[in-house]
Amino acid sequence: MTKPYDVGRRFEQYLVHRFKRLGWFSIRTPASGRGWRTGYTPDIICIKNRNILLIECKVLSGPRALYIEKPKVQSLIKLAKLTGGHAYICVYYRKDKLYRFIDPRDPEYNTNKYYGWSKTYVLAQGKTLYQIINQYS
């Protein structure tokens, strides 16, 4: 059985490869998702023509909503402001083989500890890779 970490890592590597093929400098950051002791780092950083994309990736296997801890989302947004970049959360629905990019500044749900987005919201409001690429071309 594949470990969740491996699935997430493979998806991150896939996205890095896709961005590279589209002419972006892109890297998967060391210790992505594990850097709480050293400070937050997004999973992927992409740069092209002075445009910086900071991407947090999440893989879901079912139709459940995505919930991310508030400090993690806030750190992603803060890092985007610091670098002059643009923050995104890329949600991959494994069974559907679909992924979309959402703006972390616009959560659908706001609980005490988490920001959240339903699958319906992500698929309706999220952007495809090509919509993201064209936005910064």
Side-chain angles (χ1 to χ4, degrees):
M1 185 171 185
T2 307
K3 297 177 186 174
Y5 172 79
D6 292 332
V7 174
R9 179 180 46 83
R10 275 194 237 126
F11 178 65
E12 291 167 11
Q13 291 169 336
Y14 166 80
L15 266 186
V16 165
H17 179 71
R18 292 295 310 268
F19 273 100
K20 282 182 179 179
R21 288 191 65 189
L22 293 167
W24 289 69
F25 169 79
S26 57
I27 59 168
R28 179 174 177 264
T29 59
S32 66
R34 297 179 181 208
W36 285 104
R37 278 183 263 145
T38 59
Y40 172 77
T41 57
D43 294 323
I44 298 172
I45 300 172
C46 302
I47 304 170
K48 183 177 182 181
N49 299 330
R50 297 186 181 163
N51 291 302
I52 302 169
L53 306 182
L54 305 168
I55 304 168
E56 180 68 32
C57 296
K58 295 295 176 188
V59 177
L60 299 176
S61 58
R64 68 181 177 84
L66 169 66
Y67 286 94
I68 304 176
E69 301 89 354
K70 282 184 172 183
K72 195 169 199 175
V73 174
Q74 291 164 348
S75 293
L76 177 64
I77 294 166
K78 184 178 178 181
L79 187 59
K81 286 180 184 176
L82 178 71
T83 62
H86 307 277
Y88 288 99
I89 298 170
C90 184
V91 187
Y92 175 55
Y93 294 99
R94 192 172 171 194
K95 289 184 180 177
D96 300 323
K97 294 187 165 87
L98 289 172
Y99 60 93
R100 295 289 185 270
F101 295 83
I102 57 173
D103 186 336
R105 297 171 300 172
D106 189 25
E108 182 181 15
Y109 307 119
N110 186 349
T111 71
N112 287 339
K113 295 182 181 181
Y114 300 95
Y115 292 124
W117 299 265
S118 68
K119 182 177 181 179
T120 303
Y121 178 92
V122 171
L123 295 179
Q125 301 296 319
K127 297 180 180 180
T128 66
L129 175 65
Y130 291 103
Q131 288 172 319
I132 295 293
I133 296 297
N134 290 334
Q135 187 174 334
Y136 301 105
S137 293

